[in-house]
Structures are given as structure tokens and as C-alpha cells.
Amino acid sequence: MTATPISDQTPAVWLKHAARPWRRLAGLAGLLAVADVIPAVGFAAGLALMVSGFSVSLTAALPGLGLAVGSLLLRALLGQAAVVVGARMGQVVKADTRARLLADLFGQGRRSTDRLTAVVEGVEALDGYFSRFAPLRLAAALSPLLIIAAAAVASPVAAGVLVFTLFPFICGMALAGTAAARESRRQFETLERLGGLFIDRVRALPAVLAFGAVPRTTAEIARTADELEKRTNRVLRIAFVSSGVLEFFSALAVALIAVYCGFNLLGLLPFPVPEHLTLAQAFFVLALAPEVYQPLRRLAAAYHDRQAAEAAAPSLITPEVAAGIAPELGDLAPAIRFRDVAIRYEANAAPVLEDFNLEIAPGQTVALLGASGAGKSSLLHLLLGMAPLSGGEVEVGAARLTDCGGFAGRIAWAGQAPVVVPGTLGQNIAVADPTACPGRLAMTARTAGLTTDLDRPINERGGGLSGGERRRLGLARAVLKRVPILLLDEPTANLDPVAEQAMLEVIRTAAQGRTTLIATHSEAVAALADKVVRL
């Protein structure tokens, strides 16, 4: 049997899949919720013993009082442990889901407003489901049966009444949950639409102001916000009605048990029963009656968490790709093959590149030449997982881009604007390999034509570095990173001829023993390549 692809799974199946790596933690949270039965039965037994003991003497009631107090303390400890473990479960699932969403958002080129809403609102909707609803679901299935079994020891008839009243309670929960789930999904869709609309209008704010569209934009956002308010009120209305129905059935069941126990003690039942209750038995059953419905009432109170999670789940489902995590390519320079590659950033936009084919032999240096906008940088970004593969296939060695999403982990990259972090020159070079020793950093700086003063201070804006030195910093990182593929994007752009000539030697050194792809406008840089491709 083959596994269902994640993108084809229903929200319920996906939520189960999301918790799979933490089965033990989820199981512990559920067991702690079920363990609440033990102090509940202990408290009922202690209350029964205490009441029956009062008829003998005050001293006879003390063991029952001690059992009741001890059960309350145990219940508090178990409840606190269940909250802590449930919160931990929600935290780890949210962290894992958010990491995958961010990898999909930035690594696969799906930068839509819906995905941004999912990262923030959608992930947070999972918290209540995994920290509260999931543990309570196990308790709601097992705890009422365990409590009814305990009640049957004292009164089989009362246990039968509890079983009979349990069915309409469950049916009421199911009906209310179905209606609320539908409205909750519509509410989340409206929330996504409002978030996307707001982000789009903020992005287009200069155009909105320039064309005098502020009133129309304000009215559009207001209409969507009003729709969200209506959807939210519908969800709350169903929640309040369902809560009232469940409380009614719970109170009715407890009242039936109270009437039966009272009439049995007084011998006033209008029909024969195969038992005669003592005072202790009656108090035990009566104290347990509310506990039968307590797990179900807690589940009903947390049912909105399930609705919110299932409503958000479709926007959280991402393909099973290791975005941004490169496959094992080995240490040898691999061959790279582009087969009928197409790159399109928007669904309805013209492709940046189409039907592109190129074979790069292991260890070969290829220069991509062409006008701005021809797709040179996009081809490099494709290997990094920063541009979408809209058609065709890219193969690096035996690995395929469609299977892994990107090869960034096995690529040394030097872009047009290297990122600068506040700190020293050595710390900035070490971004490519934090494990590098000072001697290796100094040798790399020397190779890239930088000063060997690794303690030279640099601020977050690149203060302390000239434009040429920033380019050399990017190349220094590329030299430091021990990987078999090198990508360079306009390494000599905006440099004077003297600085460009000095940079060529650094590029030649960095490319040794690697499969190298260079996007450039410079014929001098292209002269270093084994093959030149003009786009």
C-alpha cells in the first residue's frame, strides 16, 4: 500500500501526520488526561466513606476525609502535568510546521499572501488542537467508560442509567461539531482573504495614493472586515448553543441519578430493582455521575480548537520536499544538466526562461552572458531553490531538483550584494563555515585579496568595507566553503578595469576543482570559462 501524498490528504489526516514524529509526547499527554479518572474515583470513594463514617463517629470519618483530600491534591498535580506536556506538544508541532512553511515560502518561490497568513495565523491555530483537544479526545473516549465501570461496582442500575444518557450527549456534540466546523472553515478563509488584501494594498500604497484610490481601498478592506466579523459571530453562536445543549443533557443525567439514589434509599421506587443501596453506595454513585460527563464537556469546550486547526490545515499543507536541504552529492565536482527548463515567477506572467538546455561537465566552468533580464541570475537561483522550476528538469549528479527542491547545502555562492553582519571581518568570512579556525580564515582572506586583519570592525551597513572589498568578501566565503559547486552572480560588476583584473585571479582560484556557473556581463570574466552560453 502506498502512502497518501501530503498535498492530497484531508485536514484530519494531515493533523495526524504532523504529530507523528512526537508520538510518545502525544501519548503521554493523552495518558495524563485519562489518569484524571483515578483521583475522581478516589474523591468519590473518600466522600462516600466520610459521609457513612459520620453516622458512627467523627473519628470513623477521618479516613474518608484523608482520601478525598489526597485525591484532590493528586488531581491538581496530574492536571498541571497534563497542561505542561500538552503545551510542549503544541510548541514542537508549531515549530516544525512553521519551519516547513518558511522553507516552502522562501525556498520554493511560493511567496503569496495566503502563505504569509498561514505562517502566522495558520500555525498558531494548531496550538489549541495539539495542546488541549488531542489529549482530551483520548480522555473523552476512555474516561467515561472507566468511571461508569467504577460506578457499576456500587450500583449496576445507576451505571445503566449513565450509559443510556451518554448517547444523546454524544449525538449533540456530533451535530454541533459538524455545523461549527463548516462555519469555522469559512471564517478562516475570510481571515486569509483579509490578510492577503491588506498586504497587497500596503505593497501598492504609493499607487493607491497616486491614483486617489484611498476611499475605495478603505471601503474594500472594511467590507472584508465586516464579513469576518459576521463569520466569527456565527461560529460563536453555534458554540454557545451547543454548550447549552450539552449542559442540559449533563444536568438531566445527574438529576436522574440523584432521583434514583434518593428514592432507592427511601424505598419509594415505583418499580422493582435488583439492588438496595446503602448511604455510602448512593453517595459514591452520585459523586461519580458528574465525572462521567466532565471529559466530554472539556472536549466540547476545546472543540473550537479542532475546528480552527482543521480550517487552517489546507493552507499549511506543503509538498514533501527537503527545501533548502541539499542531497548528498559527494565531494567530487558533479555534472549539471538543464533539460527543457522553464522559469515563471507568476502563473499568468511570461516566462523568464523557457526550453533552456545545457550540459556542464564535472569540474567545468561555464559563463552565462546576456542582457539584464535574460534569466542569468534566475538560473543560479534555480539551483539554490530560490526560483520556481515551472517546467523541465535540473539534474546535479544523480539528484533531481524536483525531488529535493534545491542544492544550497552543497553550493558556494557569491551574489551581487553579499550580506554583511555586524562584527569583525573574520566573523563575516566565517559565515560560510563557522567551524573554520583563525589560520584558515586568514589564508582565505589573503586568497581573496582582503586584509589579513581579521579583527577589523564592520557594521551592519558594511561600514569599513569598500565596494570592491564587499565583492571580495563574497568570494572569500565561496573559497572557504568546501563544496563541489560554485555559483557567481556578476562578481566584477561596477568595478574599474584594474579592480576587475585583480578579481579575475580570485575567481580562477575559487573555481579550481569545482563545477562553476558564472552569470556576468564581462567578456573578461567569460574568458576564464571553459564554455560560454549567451542568453
Side-chain angles (χ1 to χ4, degrees):
M1 181 180 294
T2 58
T4 304
I6 290 186
S7 56
D8 297 335
Q9 292 176 353
T10 63
V13 174
W14 181 85
L15 288 170
K16 182 178 180 180
H17 175 87
R20 189 171 297 168
W22 297 278
R23 290 192 196 95
R24 292 183 179 178
L25 193 61
L28 178 60
L31 288 176
L32 286 172
V34 174
D36 187 67
V37 169
I38 298 174
V41 174
F43 176 77
L47 185 63
L49 291 175
M50 184 177 62
V51 171
S52 63
F54 276 133
S55 60
V56 180
S57 66
L58 183 61
T59 304
L62 291 179
L65 177 61
L67 178 59
V69 173
S71 298
L72 289 176
L73 293 176
L74 177 61
R75 193 168 204 176
L77 293 174
L78 288 174
Q80 179 63 24
V83 169
V84 172
V85 174
R88 176 60 181 165
M89 180 68 188
Q91 181 183 3
V92 295
V93 173
K94 286 195 303 178
D96 178 68
T97 304
R98 184 175 284 115
R100 286 189 291 104
L101 280 172
L102 289 173
D104 185 61
L105 183 67
F106 296 112
Q108 302 301 315
R110 300 182 178 92
R111 292 173 178 82
S112 66
T113 53
D114 289 346
R115 305 303 283 171
L116 292 173
T117 303
V119 170
V120 181
E121 300 290 344
V123 172
E124 287 303 319
L126 299 178
D127 184 72
Y129 179 87
F130 289 104
S131 64
R132 291 185 293 274
F133 179 81
L136 290 175
R137 182 170 53 187
L138 179 62
L142 296 179
S143 297
L145 300 179
L146 295 176
I147 294 174
I148 290 175
V153 175
S155 173
V157 175
V161 173
L162 291 174
V163 171
F164 178 77
T165 57
L166 201 58
F167 289 108
F169 195 96
I170 295 174
C171 292
M173 286 183 62
L175 292 174
T178 302
R182 183 171 58 251
E183 289 298 334
S184 184
R185 178 59 196 163
R186 292 174 180 171
Q187 179 206 23
F188 191 79
E189 289 173 351
T190 306
L191 178 62
E192 282 187 324
R193 189 160 58 250
L194 177 61
L197 177 65
F198 186 76
I199 292 174
D200 286 340
R201 295 305 177 266
V202 169
R203 286 175 176 170
L205 191 56
V208 171
L209 295 173
F211 289 95
V214 173
R216 185 175 64 185
T217 302
T218 303
E220 189 178 10
I221 294 176
R223 282 195 302 271
T224 309
D226 289 340
E227 184 182 357
L228 176 62
E229 180 186 5
K230 293 176 182 177
R231 298 289 186 192
T232 303
N233 286 335
R234 289 178 186 175
V235 173
L236 293 176
R237 191 180 302 120
I238 293 175
F240 285 133
V241 171
S242 62
S243 177
V245 171
L246 298 181
E247 289 295 336
F248 169 77
F249 282 114
S250 175
L252 179 62
V254 174
L256 288 175
I257 294 297
V259 170
Y260 168 74
C261 290
F263 278 40
N264 189 295
L265 286 173
L266 297 174
L268 299 178
L269 287 173
F271 50 84
V273 292
E275 63 182 12
H276 180 71
L277 299 179
T278 64
L279 184 61
Q281 290 174 320
F283 263 92
F284 179 70
V285 173
L286 191 58
L288 280 182
E291 297 294 341
V292 173
Y293 305 97
Q294 189 64 21
L296 296 171
R297 291 167 68 183
R298 290 175 181 168
L299 184 68
Y303 202 80
H304 179 72
D305 294 323
R306 175 190 175 181
Q307 297 159 2
E310 291 189 351
S315 64
L316 302 177
I317 297 175
T318 58
E320 273 286 288
V321 294
I325 303 176
E328 186 57 47
L329 300 178
D331 296 327
L332 298 178
I336 301 177
R337 291 171 290 275
F338 296 86
R339 303 188 186 279
D340 301 320
V341 166
I343 300 174
R344 181 183 288 106
Y345 287 98
E346 298 292 341
N348 299 322
V352 176
L353 207 63
E354 195 170 23
D355 296 328
F356 178 78
N357 290 276
L358 175 63
E359 291 203 15
I360 307 175
Q364 192 175 38
T365 298
V366 173
L368 301 174
L369 268 70
S372 297
K376 304 185 301 297
S377 297
S378 293
L379 281 172
L380 305 188
H381 292 166
L382 191 62
L383 292 170
L384 293 167
M386 297 168 58
L389 179 62
S390 305
E393 184 59 85
V394 179
E395 298 175 0
V396 177
R400 296 156 57 95
L401 183 63
T402 52
D403 294 334
C404 62
F407 305 94
R410 303 297 290 166
I411 289 176
W413 159 260
Q416 298 184 39
V419 175
V420 178
V421 297
T424 64
L425 176 62
Q427 290 170 338
N428 271 271
I429 297 175
V431 166
D433 185 0
T435 63
C437 64
R440 187 167 159 230
L441 291 176
M443 184 176 64
T444 301
R446 190 181 304 110
T447 301
L450 291 168
T451 174
T452 55
D453 180 12
L454 299 181
D455 294 327
R456 177 178 172 182
I458 299 172
N459 62 32
E460 65 276 3
R461 297 182 180 179
L465 292 175
S466 65
E469 285 177 323
R470 291 192 69 159
R471 299 278 182 175
R472 291 178 181 275
L473 173 61
L475 284 170
R477 291 170 176 168
V479 171
L480 182 67
K481 190 173 182 180
R482 294 173 174 171
V483 289
I485 302 173
L486 173 65
L487 302 182
L488 303 178
D489 189 8
E490 300 289 358
T492 62
N494 303 320
L495 296 182
D496 59 70
V498 176
E500 183 181 45
Q501 286 298 319
M503 192 73 76
L504 294 179
E505 186 59 35
V506 180
I507 296 173
R508 185 181 291 108
T509 301
Q512 288 179 358
R514 310 190 197 193
T515 302
T516 304
L517 200 56
I518 307 174
T520 183
H521 287 93
S522 171
E523 294 291 345
V525 174
L528 297 175
D530 303 311
K531 180 189 294 187
V532 177
V533 178
R534 299 184 183 274
L535 301 177

